[in-house]
């Protein structure tokens, strides 16, 4: 555990909610949809909507997640700029892979009828095989489903051979947010990023669609140059970033070059499922130590007096 993990693990849940505000659209589907429309209309940015939730083990809770995802599908009226992301363990992967497949298929089918893409997020390495197997099965019947590969894992190049052959897959390529043991993953960020570039080339060579998901501007530029060198048409790639990570300038630069840019826009109907996501984001924030030290007294005061809660209730957090 690094010092940032330790620092973030010490922040109590109510304060995590306050510090993580910029990374989460709000507490309702309606707020998330408004955010998506605003990003599209004001800045030409596409969105992937995500209902926060993971590692769910109660069948009743899983049913509720499926129902909310079907509500999202129903509410999205334009799949050309809004897609949807979900986590397999939110759909039951941790308790019953068949239930998980059937739940995801229900959502993918409903989304296909409306021209909406669905991405299966990638979680800890315990779930890599099951997620890729599930992806391969679904992709053979549904062309609106994509998944994620992580460049920190040694296995990813082999996974492309094993699971994506002949699929014309839709892949979000990222470093991977979960810390993994040194026996199976790079521990040096530079190596993860070099591998990212190697994997992007391989995926494009094999005809797949690649969403380049990183906030590292040098890596974004290296991958953009690679796509142009390889003459990859613009309908076979896009750039993806997370809501709340300040990358306005490069997003506009990419848009001006004609490349699509999509933001991951999560929302949570209950905070119980949102803390894990929020803590991971805070760990990645380079200013977190300074930020916590500078804002803690004010945040605690606002929280005790109820001021922040009132402000949060009225206003969805700004990106
Ligand atoms: C759209 C999208 C979807 C993703 N989906 C998955 C997934 O399904 N599974 C998975 O394991 N991982 C996923 N990730 C996470 C990803 O793998 C990285 O761990 C994470 O984005 C940080 O790494 P980076 O590539 O931005 O590089 P880094 O080197 O970590 O970051 C590059 C720069 O951005 C800054 N930065 C990064 N994050 C933040 C932040 N939260 N706040 C402020 N600054 C920040 C860094 O400090 C650094 O300056 C996703 C990322 C994106 C963008």
């Amino acid at each position: 555990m690094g010092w940032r993990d330790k620092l973030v693990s010490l922040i109590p849940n109510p304060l995590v909610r306050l510090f993580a505000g910029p990374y989460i659209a709000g507490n309702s589907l309606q707020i998330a949809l408004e955010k998506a429309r605003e990003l599209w209309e004001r800045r030409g940015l596409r969105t992937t909507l995500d209902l926060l939730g993971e590692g769910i083990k109660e069948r009743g809770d899983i049913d509720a997640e499926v129902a909310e995802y079907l509500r999202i599908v129903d509410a999205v009226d334009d799949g050309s700029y809004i897609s949807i992301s979900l986590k397999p363990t939110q759909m039951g992967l941790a308790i019953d892979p068949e239930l998980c497949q059937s739940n995801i298929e229900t959502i993918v089918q409903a989304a296909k009828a409306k021209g909406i893409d669905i991405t299966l997020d990638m979680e800890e390495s315990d779930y890599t095989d099951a997620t890729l197997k599930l992806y391969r099965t679904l992709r053979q019947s549904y062309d609106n489903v994509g998944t994620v590969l992580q460049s920190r894992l040694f296995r990813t190049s082999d996974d492309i051979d094993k699971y994506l052959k002949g699929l014309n897959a839709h892949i979000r390529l990222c470093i991977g947010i979960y810390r993994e043991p040194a026996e199976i993953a790079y521990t040096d960020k530079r190596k993860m990023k070099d591998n990212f570039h190697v994997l992007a080339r391989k995926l494009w060579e094999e005809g797949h669609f690649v969403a380049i998901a990183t906030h590292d501007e040098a890596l974004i530029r290296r991958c953009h140059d690679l796509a142009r060198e390889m003459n990859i048409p613009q309908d076979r790639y896009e750039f993806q970033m997370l809501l709340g990570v300040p990358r306005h300038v490069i997003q506009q630069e990419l848009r001006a070059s004609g490349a699509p840019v999509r933001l991951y826009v999560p929302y949570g109907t209950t905070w119980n499922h949102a803390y894990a996501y929020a803590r991971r984001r805070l760990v990645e924030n380079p200013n977190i130590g300074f930020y916590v030290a500078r804002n803690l007294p004010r945040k605690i005061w606002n929280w005790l007096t109820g001021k922040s809660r009132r402000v949060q209730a009225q206003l969805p957090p700004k990106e």
Side-chain angles (χ1 to χ4, degrees):
M1 212 193 234
W3 70 268
R4 275 195 213 152
D5 299 73
K6 281 189 196 133
L7 179 64
V8 170
S9 72
L10 292 175
I11 307 177
N13 279 345
L15 287 176
V16 167
R17 292 168 70 149
L18 299 182
F19 285 114
Y23 302 112
I24 295 173
N27 60 5
S28 73
L29 172 57
Q30 194 201 342
I31 291 174
L33 280 168
E34 277 162 19
K35 187 81 207 168
R37 283 193 200 108
E38 177 198 317
L39 288 167
W40 178 244
E41 284 164 13
R42 296 214 187 140
R43 297 174 48 206
L45 301 177
R46 301 174 190 198
T47 300
T48 187
L49 293 180
D50 170 72
L51 169 66
L52 289 168
E54 58 194 270
I56 302 182
K57 298 202 170 125
E58 296 297 326
R59 282 174 194 260
D61 292 347
I62 293 168
D63 292 345
E65 301 286 298
V66 176
E68 178 71 10
Y69 266 103
L70 290 171
R71 232 164 60 78
I72 305 179
V73 171
D74 197 42
V76 170
D77 53 17
D78 191 347
S80 68
Y81 75 93
I82 304 181
S83 65
I84 297 172
S85 292
L86 55 81
K87 290 194 169 35
T89 65
Q90 191 174 17
M91 299 288 133
L93 189 62
I95 58 165
D96 179 351
E98 277 178 26
L99 170 74
C100 173
Q101 177 171 331
S102 138
N103 285 339
I104 295 180
E105 188 162 1
T106 304
I107 295 164
V108 168
Q109 221 166 37
K112 183 164 167 67
K114 291 193 69 184
I116 302 166
D117 289 337
I118 303 284
T119 301
L120 315 185
D121 286 350
M122 188 58 76
E123 301 172 78
E124 296 95 324
S125 58
D126 294 348
Y127 299 112
T128 309
D129 272 309
T131 303
L132 291 175
K133 242 184 242 165
L134 178 60
Y135 176 65
R136 184 163 181 87
T137 307
L138 290 172
R139 182 71 189 186
Q140 282 160 348
S141 307
Y142 302 97
D143 62 2
N144 63 324
V145 64
T147 193
V148 179
L149 291 175
Q150 299 158 323
S151 72
R152 85 166 55 225
L153 297 182
F154 299 146
R155 57 177 290 168
T156 300
S157 181
D158 293 339
D159 284 340
I160 295 174
D161 300 332
K162 183 170 172 191
Y163 290 107
L164 304 188
K165 267 269 157 327
L167 272 196
N168 184 20
H170 195 292
I171 297 298
R172 176 195 301 151
L173 181 60
C174 67
I175 286 177
I177 194 76
Y178 304 91
R179 310 248 183 268
E180 300 286 357
E183 299 79 59
I184 62 163
Y186 296 105
T187 49
D188 172 359
K189 266 262 169 97
R190 221 189 40 221
K191 289 191 178 150
M192 296 175 199
K193 290 178 183 177
D194 286 344
N195 193 36
F196 189 117
H197 190 257
V198 169
L199 294 169
R201 180 189 290 280
K202 178 165 176 157
L203 287 164
W204 276 321
E205 274 169 0
E206 299 190 4
H208 305 299
F209 176 97
V210 189
I212 301 291
T214 177
H215 310 99
D216 181 313
E217 300 198 12
L219 185 57
I220 290 171
R221 291 206 167 83
R222 278 173 77 197
C223 292
H224 201 193
D225 289 347
L226 178 64
R228 289 185 284 211
E229 249 169 66
M230 292 175 73
N231 290 319
I232 304 298
Q234 275 184 349
D235 60 359
R236 277 196 40 223
Y237 66 92
E238 69 179 19
F239 293 88
Q240 293 191 356
M241 297 176 216
L242 301 174
L243 181 73
V245 180
R247 287 293 178 274
H248 297 245
V249 174
I250 193 153
Q251 287 163 3
Q252 290 317 307
E253 200 184 293
L254 290 165
R255 288 295 304 115
S257 76
V261 178
R262 189 181 298 276
L263 295 198
Y264 189 96
V265 173
Y267 76 97
T269 49
T270 146
W271 264 93
N272 290 344
H273 293 152
Y275 288 118
Y277 179 88
R279 285 182 193 277
R280 287 198 297 273
R281 298 285 79 80
L282 292 179
V283 169
E284 295 287 302
N285 185 339
N287 298 321
I288 189 66
F290 171 69
Y291 190 55
V292 171
R294 195 190 59 181
N295 291 318
L296 195 55
R298 187 169 52 85
K299 294 270 187 189
I300 291 176
W301 173 251
N302 287 345
W303 179 61
L304 288 174
T305 58
K307 193 171 156 196
S308 289
R309 269 168 286 164
R310 284 198 301 277
V311 171
Q312 275 198 338
Q314 290 156 11
L315 290 174
K318 288 269 171 287
E319 193 203 345

